[in-house]
Amino acid sequence: MDYFLIITILVGLSAAFGYINVRFLKLPNTIGLMLITIVFTLAIFALSYVDDTLLHAERYIIKQIDFRTVLLDIMLSFLLFAGALHTNFEQLKIQRWPVLVFSTLGVLVSTFLVGVVMYYILPLFGLQVAFIHCLLFGALISPTDPIAVLGILKQAGAPKKLETKIVGESLFNDGVGVVVFLTIFQIASFGTDNIEVSEIFKLFGQEVIGGIGLGAIIGWIVYRLMKSIDDYYIEVIITLAGVMVGTAIAHKFHLSAPLAMVTAGLIVGNDTIRGTAMSEITESYVDKFWELIDILLNALLFVLIGMEMLVLVIEGKYIIAGLLAIPIVLLCRYASLLVPINFFKKRLDFVPKTNLIMTWGGLRGGISIALALGLSDDMNRDLFLVITYIIVVFSILVQGLTIGKLVKWVQKKGFQ
């Protein structure tokens, strides 16, 4: 089966499931698509007792797709650029310090807390896991997904300053989370005795600072090119080329492509730059093009997440560990945000119950599954993949469907 046919099948399923959701379920697109795909996959499992043709076909498709490479090396750059392009830059500038602390210190603290708790909890189920591997799990589960929650927050009428914190944090902590994961992955692969502390800081600095620097250069070049012409067709192509070339350069020089594309997207999407580099018609075409890219890739991503159920190694103790990990991850996220929120809330007039909303609104998505798929067998890949999948499904289906109600409830009660 060639790649064109595989992509055709995935786009066809996305269109069919999207239609069913809009026509009948009327759920937010990301949630509806994943729910329908999971039900579809379960139905194929049930049908396989009679005829396993469809099951083999779906398994074949999943085996042909390297989910980790497709998401982290290709899709993520486009998704983060599109998300950053439509982020309110002025609000983000006001909230820059809490967003910076949430997406760096918050990720690091959450990684450590989750790793420590899982290290002591897993042996209760007869699962002996090395501490460094528990930290790896903490790193892959800590990044939150801006894609799934953005539309829900807008529908709920969440205050702009709260929306900016959650989305801004998610945009940056994707990149930081991947860097933290890769750093711990190298330590786990080569051993603590074979890696110097200076090498860890060098790797982290190169990925983060280099990625942001590259993104700033790409954003500036795109801006200068767009400012020098007035042709909306070519200007749309320039933004697309910026993302693709920037991603290729980041991979070549081992810089963080996610952070580069977030930075470039924020620069190109800045209101000041929009006003000087884009005509009204160019702005409309650029926005609509990237909205379409965002919607299409999201549809494919959440269909793929639903189908990834087929690669899980289902064991009873893995499922119990996964269910127990849900409250652990939520509590660790709440604890990781506690100090920075208390520090900034009086200075920046935070929305009441910001910590509660950011904890429940911090959905996990495809990045966590992609990173879990990148683990090797000796890193307890099967165990952590099942736990991650359970957390992601709960996060999107349960948290995603109730975060809007939580925001409205907090606004109605006016808690302090």
Side-chain angles (χ1 to χ4, degrees):
M1 189 182 294
D2 60 28
Y3 284 111
F4 178 77
L5 185 53
I6 290 173
I7 293 169
T8 301
I9 291 169
L10 291 174
V11 172
L13 288 174
S14 300
F17 296 163
Y19 176 83
I20 292 168
N21 179 53
V22 172
R23 182 77 172 79
F24 301 106
L25 299 183
K26 298 180 175 25
L27 296 171
N29 280 328
T30 50
I31 296 172
L33 280 167
M34 199 181 80
L35 177 61
I36 294 167
T37 308
I38 289 173
V39 171
F40 174 74
T41 302
L42 290 173
I44 288 177
F45 268 125
L47 184 63
S48 68
Y49 289 100
V50 179
D51 184 348
D52 60 2
T53 306
L54 276 175
L55 180 62
H56 287 309
E58 191 173 345
R59 274 194 173 139
Y60 183 80
I61 291 171
I62 288 298
K63 286 179 181 176
Q64 295 302 305
I65 300 169
D66 185 340
F67 185 85
R68 184 176 186 271
T69 301
V70 167
L71 177 57
L72 296 183
D73 293 351
I74 303 171
M75 291 174 68
L76 189 58
S77 291
F78 293 91
L79 289 167
L80 291 178
F81 181 85
L85 191 68
H86 298 115
T87 297
N88 187 316
F89 187 82
E90 291 306 313
Q91 269 293 328
L92 187 61
K93 195 160 70 173
I94 295 169
Q95 305 289 343
R96 63 187 180 278
W97 291 115
V99 165
L100 178 65
V101 174
F102 294 155
S103 59
T104 52
L105 184 63
V107 169
L108 290 168
V109 171
S110 174
T111 296
F112 179 75
L113 290 177
V114 171
V116 169
V117 176
M118 293 301 288
Y119 178 68
Y120 287 105
I121 290 292
L122 289 175
L124 301 178
F125 305 101
L127 299 165
Q128 300 298 325
V129 180
F131 180 63
I132 191 71
H133 299 156
C134 289
L135 280 181
L136 263 179
F137 171 71
L140 69 86
I141 208 65
S142 291
T144 53
D145 189 344
I147 300 146
V149 77
L150 180 56
I152 300 165
L153 288 173
K154 285 183 176 176
Q155 286 177 6
K160 280 289 177 189
K161 53 189 176 183
L162 174 63
E163 183 186 309
T164 303
K165 285 186 193 73
I166 294 177
V167 176
E169 179 217 2
S170 298
L171 285 170
F172 282 101
N173 77 11
D174 279 355
V176 173
V178 171
V179 173
V180 172
F181 174 85
L182 292 175
T183 304
I184 298 174
F185 187 90
Q186 285 215 3
I187 297 170
S189 299
F190 298 109
T192 52
D193 296 334
N194 299 318
I195 290 190
E196 298 287 335
V197 175
S198 58
E199 287 182 40
I200 296 171
F201 281 106
K202 182 183 175 184
L203 172 66
F204 195 83
Q206 177 183 331
E207 290 268 354
V208 174
I209 298 169
I212 293 172
L214 173 64
I217 294 168
I218 294 292
W220 183 81
I221 291 172
V222 168
Y223 158 66
R224 296 298 301 178
L225 291 173
M226 293 175 73
K227 188 179 180 181
S228 64
I229 63 172
D230 185 15
D231 185 309
Y232 54 87
Y233 291 124
I234 301 302
E235 289 179 75
V236 169
I237 294 172
I238 287 171
T239 62
L240 180 62
V243 173
M244 297 178 78
V245 171
T247 301
I249 293 171
H251 291 157
K252 173 70 176 175
F253 294 100
H254 305 290
L255 311 176
S256 173
L259 287 175
M261 290 308 104
V262 168
T263 306
L266 288 173
I267 291 172
V268 176
N270 181 358
D271 288 341
T272 304
I273 287 177
R274 282 173 178 265
T276 57
M278 302 184 209
S279 64
E280 284 188 23
I281 190 167
T282 296
E283 191 173 348
S284 175
Y285 269 77
V286 167
D287 283 343
K288 284 187 167 43
F289 173 79
W290 282 103
E291 281 173 15
L292 181 60
I293 292 286
D294 196 21
I295 290 166
L296 175 60
L297 291 182
N298 266 303
L300 292 172
L301 172 60
F302 282 89
V303 166
L304 281 170
I305 290 174
M307 293 174 73
E308 285 295 325
M309 182 190 297
L310 292 171
V311 304
L312 301 180
V313 176
I314 305 297
E315 286 191 26
K317 56 187 177 182
Y318 289 3
I319 294 173
I320 294 170
L323 293 172
L324 189 60
I326 293 170
I328 290 172
V329 169
L330 287 170
L331 288 170
C332 290
R333 173 163 171 80
Y334 187 90
S336 71
L337 297 174
L338 206 53
V339 172
I341 284 178
N342 285 330
F343 180 79
F344 286 112
K345 69 179 179 182
K346 290 182 180 177
R347 294 168 176 79
L348 291 171
D349 186 29
F350 275 29
V351 171
K353 298 291 181 184
T354 292
N355 201 349
L356 179 63
I357 296 172
M358 287 190 68
T359 297
W360 198 250
L363 308 188
R364 271 66 182 183
I367 291 169
S368 294
I369 291 177
L371 293 175
L373 284 165
L375 296 173
S376 58
D377 289 338
D378 64 323
M379 295 174 180
N380 306 93
R381 179 183 184 273
D382 292 339
L383 165 65
F384 286 132
L385 189 54
V386 171
I387 294 175
T388 303
Y389 196 88
I390 289 171
I391 291 171
V392 168
V393 170
F394 176 87
S395 167
I396 293 171
L397 296 186
V398 179
Q399 292 172 233
L401 286 173
T402 54
I403 182 62
K405 293 183 176 67
L406 177 62
V407 171
K408 289 178 179 176
W409 180 72
V410 168
Q411 286 181 320
K412 183 180 177 182
K413 294 290 184 183
F415 289 119
Q416 295 300 326

